[in-house]
Amino acid sequence: MAKVLVVTSGKGGVGKTTTSAALGTGLALRGHKTVIVDFDVGLRNLDLIMGCERRVVYDFVNVINGEATLTQALIKDKRLENLYVLAASQTRDKDALTQEGVGKVIDELAQTFEYVVCDSPAGIEKGAHLAMYFADEAIVVTNPEVSSVRDSDRMLGLLASKSRRAEQGKDPIKERLLLTRYNPERVTKGEMLGVEDVEEILAINLLGVIPESQAVLKASNQGVPVILDDQSDAGQAYSDAVDRLLGKEMPHRFLDVQKKGFLQRLFGGRE
Amino acid sequence: MNIFDFFRERKKDTASIAKERLQIIVAHERGQRTQPDYLPALQKELVEVIRKYVNIDQDQVQVALDDQGGYSILELNVTLPDR
């Protein structure tokens, strides 16, 4: 049975799309047929991060409106056999997504895919609501910073009450924390909330910690999900997170200040 | 308290300040999340009733519902103006 994951955060710019692209690609790398769905109608960006922006012909809203079939709208990744993207529409119509329409598309995707990764827009408006509504599991992307942590807590409240699972009285959405843009050096100096602090405040399981990394911008510049840069710290941290998502026990890396030599740094050696 | 403690106190790192502030606001907001939907309307109507007799502002009335497990306590706190 397919698993529907939502990548959400409340606050914008914390790394939802980067995370959706990385986790979706990581699942496909491990042989799972995966689709990443962009819910940010009006401001689509997943296509750019995935490097398929010039191949978008039909989008999510076209499928909902019956202007295209799902097969026509799904964009197959050029690098990986098992990976597909469903782009968001650039329409300015806020009501383009309907609960009924989205539900139909998700259920249809769930028949052919093992994982459906929903990339939520920021905020708590309709797009964000619909991205989480059908989810089985949620990945709450948070930066170690006050406004992001508070917004994440707000999203946890919504995940618990405003979902199909909650309304049907099923088991609640499994919530997991992904702490991104983590800077161990600043944590040591007492300038940044540590991973234990954020875990304590939000009180949910930790999926992973992604270090603040130059690799993320380099990857998005090129339209390559950062997880494919397996030499980078962020790429490796995302890779560990995918393994944990699949139930593997992985120790958390990159939590401490890296004391590496120049050459090691250059070649991104593992611990 | 010696002089070193004094300086340490003042140089409390910003991450701890962030954590404390978050713990307070998050606890407060979680409390509001679990309150019944009718509470704001109840508060508004109570203010209107009291206003018939005493001149008060909205923020001079606090309504809190405290869930004690088996039962709940509705607490009404009205600050009356000086006469």
Side-chain angles (χ1 to χ4, degrees):
Chain A
M1 209 179 78
K3 249 186 200 160
V4 182
L5 311 179
V6 59
V7 178
T8 188
S9 72
K11 189 174 183 299
V14 297
K16 280 182 298 296
T17 302
T18 302
T19 297
S20 302
L23 297 184
T25 305
L27 288 166
L29 268 175
R30 285 156 183 74
H32 300 284
K33 199 174 178 194
T34 303
V35 58
I36 317 174
V37 185
D38 191 348
F39 275 77
D40 204 346
V41 170
L43 292 168
R44 80 165 168 235
N45 276 316
L46 178 68
D47 54 341
L48 265 182
I49 302 299
M50 292 296 294
C52 62
E53 69 276 9
R54 295 181 63 180
R55 294 196 290 135
V56 179
V57 182
Y58 295 110
D59 58 52
F60 199 175
V61 172
N62 291 140
V63 178
I64 289 178
N65 293 343
E67 294 149 9
T69 64
L70 202 46
T71 323
Q72 287 176 305
L74 285 172
I75 305 163
K76 193 179 172 310
D77 188 82
K78 291 225 161 157
R79 296 155 294 221
L80 295 172
E81 193 58 37
N82 294 318
L83 186 59
Y84 291 79
V85 168
L86 182 57
S89 163
Q90 286 288 47
T91 175
R92 274 185 279 171
D93 177 13
K94 272 190 168 182
D95 298 318
L97 293 182
T98 59
Q99 184 153 309
E100 196 199 350
V102 173
K104 259 190 199 164
V105 173
I106 297 275
D107 290 341
E108 202 180 329
L109 288 172
Q111 285 172 13
T112 40
F113 288 91
E114 284 175 75
Y115 286 93
V116 181
V117 179
C118 304
D119 181 21
S120 172
I124 51 171
E125 299 293 315
K126 199 167 189 180
H129 165 70
L130 288 176
M132 71 166 64
Y133 187 77
F134 300 96
D136 300 307
E137 294 188 21
I139 292 140
V140 181
V141 183
T142 308
N143 289 168
E145 174 271 327
V146 284
S147 49
S148 174
V149 175
R150 179 203 215 170
D151 289 358
S152 291
D153 190 67
R154 186 82 205 277
M155 296 321 279
L156 291 174
L158 294 175
L159 283 165
S161 59
K162 304 258 191 284
S163 70
R164 180 158 70 173
R165 281 180 165 268
E167 284 174 14
Q168 292 181 350
K170 289 190 188 166
D171 288 341
I173 295 177
K174 189 171 173 187
E175 302 153 335
R176 273 181 293 189
L177 170 67
L178 189 79
L179 201 57
T180 55
R181 309 196 74 161
Y182 195 71
N183 186 333
E185 212 162 302
R186 300 199 74 181
V187 174
T188 312
K189 283 187 196 160
E191 294 175 356
M192 183 181 269
L193 289 163
V195 57
E196 298 87 2
D197 298 329
V198 183
E199 274 185 282
E200 192 187 326
I201 295 162
L202 295 178
I204 53 170
N205 279 332
L206 183 66
L207 179 68
V209 179
I210 313 298
E212 168 91 78
S213 169
Q214 301 190 348
V216 174
L217 181 60
K218 276 190 216 157
S220 75
N221 284 342
Q222 305 171 81
V224 178
V226 70
I227 198 166
L228 293 178
D229 181 359
D230 55 10
Q231 297 299 301
S232 69
D233 48 359
Q236 291 172 20
Y238 271 120
S239 188
D240 289 356
V242 172
D243 285 332
R244 285 186 209 107
L245 208 54
L246 294 169
K248 260 198 207 170
E249 289 273 343
M250 302 290 288
H252 291 279
R253 296 191 274 169
F254 316 109
L255 298 187
D256 300 313
V257 180
Q258 306 272 299
K259 282 184 187 143
K260 280 183 177 175
F262 175 72
L263 282 176
Q264 233 180 332
R265 216 175 258 273
L266 203 63
F267 296 111
R270 289 164 193 249
E271 277 183 45
Chain B
M1 187 167 93
N2 65 33
I3 189 152
F4 295 108
D5 286 339
F6 178 73
F7 283 115
R8 202 173 295 148
E9 194 84 358
R10 290 197 46 182
K11 274 194 180 167
K12 188 171 183 181
D13 62 52
T14 56
S16 327
I17 300 171
K19 187 181 177 184
E20 269 173 41
R21 292 175 60 217
L22 274 168
Q23 280 172 324
I24 294 166
I25 191 69
V26 162
H28 175 74
E29 286 174 349
R30 279 184 193 160
Q32 284 192 328
R33 216 181 281 158
T34 51
Q35 76 179 18
D37 299 338
Y38 62 75
L39 215 59
L42 175 73
Q43 172 156 0
K44 206 173 146 236
E45 282 184 45
L46 282 170
V47 172
E48 278 161 22
V49 171
I50 298 167
R51 238 194 224 146
K52 278 186 184 174
Y53 306 95
V54 199
N55 188 22
I56 53 160
D57 285 335
Q58 177 84 31
D59 56 354
Q60 284 169 297
V61 176
Q62 268 128 39
V63 179
L65 194 68
D66 197 11
D67 190 11
Q68 301 280 343
Y71 59 95
S72 302
I73 297 173
L74 180 70
E75 193 182 301
L76 181 66
N77 199 337
V78 186
T79 313
L80 295 176
D82 295 333
R83 268 189 291 173

